[in-house]
Amino acid sequence: MNIISTLSAALLLASSVFAGGATIDSTDYLPLGHFHAWEMIDSDNFVTGGTQIVSVKKTITDNEQLRYNVRTKVFDEIADVVFQLGIEGENAYLYGARVVVGDVDFGDSDIKVDTMLFEPKVFLGSTTTTLDTDPVVTDVTSSIKFKIKIGPKSFGGKVDVAGTIATSWQSVGDVDTPLGLIPGSDLAQLTMTFDFTYSSQDEDIHEAIEDESTLKTVHATLGANRGFVQIDGAGSSAKVLKRAILTNTTLGNFPPLTSDLSQLTIPTPQLFNLFLDDSGESGLTDEFLSMTDLELTQRLGGKTELTANIDVNGGVTVPVQLKGKTKFKKDGSALISLKGKTPHPELFAPLKMKIKSVITADSTELLLTYKGGKDPFGSPILGEVMIPIAPAPVASVELALNKLLDVKFDPNPLKRKLGAEGTLTVGTKIIPVTVFESLKAKPGSPATRNYSLIQSGGSGKKLLKFRASNTDESDYLVSKMRGSLVGLKVQPDVTTLDITMDAED
């Protein structure tokens, strides 16, 4: 089956193994960020050698945990491969992999392959990883969904995956790069061995793949706070690090930058966060409908969600999800609009639930109404449950940014695109955000800067836009700001903003 051989072949990176045994913080060797990219060049020709880019192409959020899709082309005859990586506390994980196929193996056909997500997530290392020890082996299951279009016809299917992924770190020797000789003491090799078998519920697909298997080992030489330092690149030519865009710094040749924004405090006197009151933790009921395990979440764009488990008449428990939004009004109140529905085995019709309440920072309850068709006697099923809440006022929000840096390797020195990850502190909530900047520089004149802010891993909706100009740290001036945060329109007096600048390069 071509799709399987393509996936199998794509799991290849390589470098050499040496003796060692030190302890490293392996999370420093995967400096993952929204704009991170590594330009690699042939190891035997630093001047005119062939180059390729390894980059973070997408950031997603899963249960408020950031994951980064790292994309690279390994060999000429193989499509790009994406590894989904992330760091949770003191541990690094591999969540999944995907082959970005195009015309590989199928001529002019159009092929789409979904990400193969591993269950459970695969442990890669920790802040106290010992080099040159036995691999950590994780038993995993997954699936591959694919769709192939040949001319006007298309077909697709699902392949189930089972097997193991073994991970370990080894010490390595020095690596010579255009950035200079990087000592082996600052490097380590991550090794991942994939041992998979395949099956499918579709008999035709299963017959084609039942004898297929994968036993591939992936090696990557990584540097502390550098990421990729050496790989086997496209065309089977070893490649080493030439330049990199990382958190708070770039490596290699980039034009200098002037001082830029680092922290910003924005007044939001009408804003409040919405929390469930602890009094509802033991469950809520109106004697017919009972709700337990309630969770209430809000996104920066105003989207709001309530999840819970419900039962009727003490019967079967089913999950329910109410989705909607929060929208603040000029008088300081907020309209909470949520709705959802779910079938329930004890009802003849789906249970429809709705919240539509205007609340203030002093409110203590949200009114939830529901209806579920008619009972066996023909009487309508309807009712209401009061959900205890505890709004928390937010007088101001604080934006903290990593250093704003070029997001391309060869920027136009007069018209540049910059970016940085950061956090927006909204009361007790700390929300990952990403800021983009368009910088125009003209010799002898202040640089003009236009910023936009999105919630990391979200839809990409621009929540806040503002403009500034400066020649150095001393004359930075915000001239305009507008946007919406958690459903509140934000258009502050820019002269009142508390601003902190970073240092010039």
Side-chain angles (χ1 to χ4, degrees):
M1 179 98 179
N2 284 332
I3 198 70
I4 299 301
S5 61
T6 299
L7 176 67
S8 301
L11 298 173
L12 293 171
L13 294 171
S15 61
S16 302
V17 181
F18 294 81
T23 298
I24 63 168
D25 180 350
S26 60
T27 63
D28 284 344
Y29 290 69
L30 298 166
L32 298 175
H34 183 89
F35 300 102
H36 284 197
W38 298 262
E39 183 182 24
M40 315 296 287
I41 191 168
D42 289 340
S43 60
D44 58 358
N45 188 344
F46 293 170
V47 180
T48 60
T51 61
Q52 72 178 88
I53 304 296
V54 180
S55 61
V56 175
K57 284 297 184 183
K58 187 178 181 181
T59 304
I60 62 175
T61 301
D62 184 84
N63 291 326
E64 299 186 353
Q65 178 64 45
L66 290 177
R67 299 181 178 185
Y68 300 92
N69 288 339
V70 181
R71 179 170 176 167
T72 181
K73 185 176 181 64
V74 187
F75 297 108
D76 279 340
E77 67 273 15
I78 299 171
D80 288 10
V81 61
V82 173
F83 295 104
Q84 190 177 107
L85 308 172
I87 296 172
E88 299 181 26
E90 297 183 349
N91 297 326
Y93 294 96
L94 170 68
Y95 300 103
R98 179 169 69 94
V99 179
V100 187
V101 291
D103 57 2
V104 177
D105 288 340
F106 288 91
D108 295 327
S109 62
D110 181 17
I111 310 169
K112 180 181 179 181
V113 183
D114 288 344
T115 299
M116 178 169 55
L117 296 173
F118 303 123
E119 180 59 41
K121 59 192 177 187
V122 179
F123 176 77
L124 290 183
S126 71
T127 55
T128 55
T129 294
T130 302
L131 300 179
D132 307 315
T133 60
D134 292 337
V136 176
V137 180
T138 304
D139 294 313
V140 299
T141 58
S142 188
S143 62
I144 308 168
K145 292 182 180 179
F146 64 91
K147 183 177 181 181
I148 302 173
K149 184 177 181 181
I150 304 177
K153 297 182 179 181
S154 64
F155 68 93
K158 177 182 175 183
V159 175
D160 296 316
V161 183
T164 62
I165 301 177
T167 62
S168 62
W169 292 79
Q170 291 82 37
S171 51
V172 298
D174 302 343
V175 175
D176 191 20
T177 77
L179 302 175
L181 186 70
I182 301 177
S185 58
D186 292 340
L187 302 174
Q189 175 187 262
L190 171 62
T191 298
M192 298 183 288
T193 298
F194 298 79
D195 189 355
F196 293 157
T197 58
Y198 306 96
S199 62
S200 177
Q201 297 295 320
D202 185 298
E203 291 185 4
D204 292 336
I205 298 175
H206 182 76
E207 183 178 351
I209 66 171
E210 61 180 333
D211 295 327
E212 294 281 353
S213 63
T214 293
L215 181 57
K216 297 292 182 182
T217 297
V218 176
H219 304 287
T221 299
L222 305 169
N225 299 311
R226 289 186 180 92
F228 291 93
V229 169
Q230 180 175 312
I231 62 173
D232 272 10
S236 301
S237 172
K239 285 183 165 50
V240 294
L241 179 62
K242 177 183 178 183
R243 292 188 293 178
I245 299 169
L246 305 171
T247 299
N248 289 323
T249 190
T250 56
L251 303 178
N253 183 28
F254 287 84
L257 290 165
T258 60
S259 182
D260 207 342
L261 179 66
S262 174
Q263 296 183 37
L264 179 64
T265 300
I266 306 167
T268 53
Q270 293 181 312
L271 183 63
F272 55 82
N273 283 329
L274 197 57
F275 295 96
L276 293 172
D277 188 278
D278 292 344
S279 61
E281 288 186 352
S282 60
L284 308 172
T285 184
D286 68 348
E287 297 184 356
F288 175 80
L289 176 74
S290 296
M291 304 179 68
T292 56
D293 303 317
L294 283 79
E295 291 187 11
L296 184 64
T297 58
Q298 291 174 293
R299 291 186 63 82
L300 281 179
K303 289 185 178 180
T304 304
E305 181 178 299
L306 177 71
T307 59
N309 291 320
I310 62 169
D311 67 67
V312 295
N313 287 328
V316 177
T317 298
V318 299
V320 67
Q321 183 181 55
L322 283 75
K323 293 184 175 181
K325 61 183 179 180
T326 299
K327 185 175 182 179
F328 283 84
K329 299 183 175 183
K330 292 181 179 180
D331 63 4
S333 63
L335 173 63
I336 312 298
S337 302
L338 308 174
K339 61 180 180 180
K341 66 178 181 179
T342 183
H344 194 284
E346 307 213 8
L347 300 176
F348 296 109
L351 184 67
K352 298 180 180 180
M353 312 178 75
K354 181 171 66 174
I355 294 174
K356 193 168 185 178
S357 298
V358 176
I359 63 172
T360 68
D362 297 321
S363 296
T364 58
E365 293 178 317
L366 280 177
L367 174 64
L368 179 145
T369 60
Y370 67 87
K371 56 183 180 180
K374 296 183 179 181
D375 65 19
F377 304 102
S379 298
I381 296 173
L382 48 84
E384 58 184 39
V385 176
M386 300 303 295
I387 299 176
I389 57 172
V394 179
S396 62
V397 298
E398 288 78 40
L399 173 66
L401 289 177
N402 295 326
K403 189 174 180 62
L404 282 151
L405 298 169
D406 290 295
V407 297
K408 295 182 177 180
F409 283 110
D410 295 301
N412 180 339
L414 301 180
K415 189 177 181 181
R416 301 164 75 168
K417 300 293 184 182
L418 286 75
E421 287 188 298
T423 58
L424 192 70
T425 301
V426 185
T428 58
K429 298 179 179 180
I430 301 177
I431 303 169
V433 296
T434 304
V435 169
F436 301 86
E437 179 183 350
S438 295
L439 168 64
K440 292 183 180 180
K442 186 176 181 180
S445 300
T448 59
R449 306 175 183 275
N450 286 283
Y451 304 88
S452 60
L453 178 148
I454 67 170
Q455 184 166 355
S456 297
S459 64
K461 178 182 178 182
K462 296 178 181 179
L463 303 174
L464 196 65
K465 297 180 180 180
F466 53 104
R467 182 178 301 164
S469 64
N470 73 315
T471 54
D472 57 28
E473 181 180 356
S474 65
D475 64 350
Y476 184 90
L477 178 66
V478 176
S479 58
K480 187 177 182 180
M481 177 178 289
R482 61 183 176 85
S484 176
L485 298 175
V486 202
L488 172 70
K489 287 187 177 180
V490 176
Q491 196 168 359
D493 178 356
V494 294
T495 63
T496 66
L497 300 177
D498 185 4
I499 299 169
T500 302
M501 305 294 290
D502 64 19
E504 296 185 25
D505 284 356

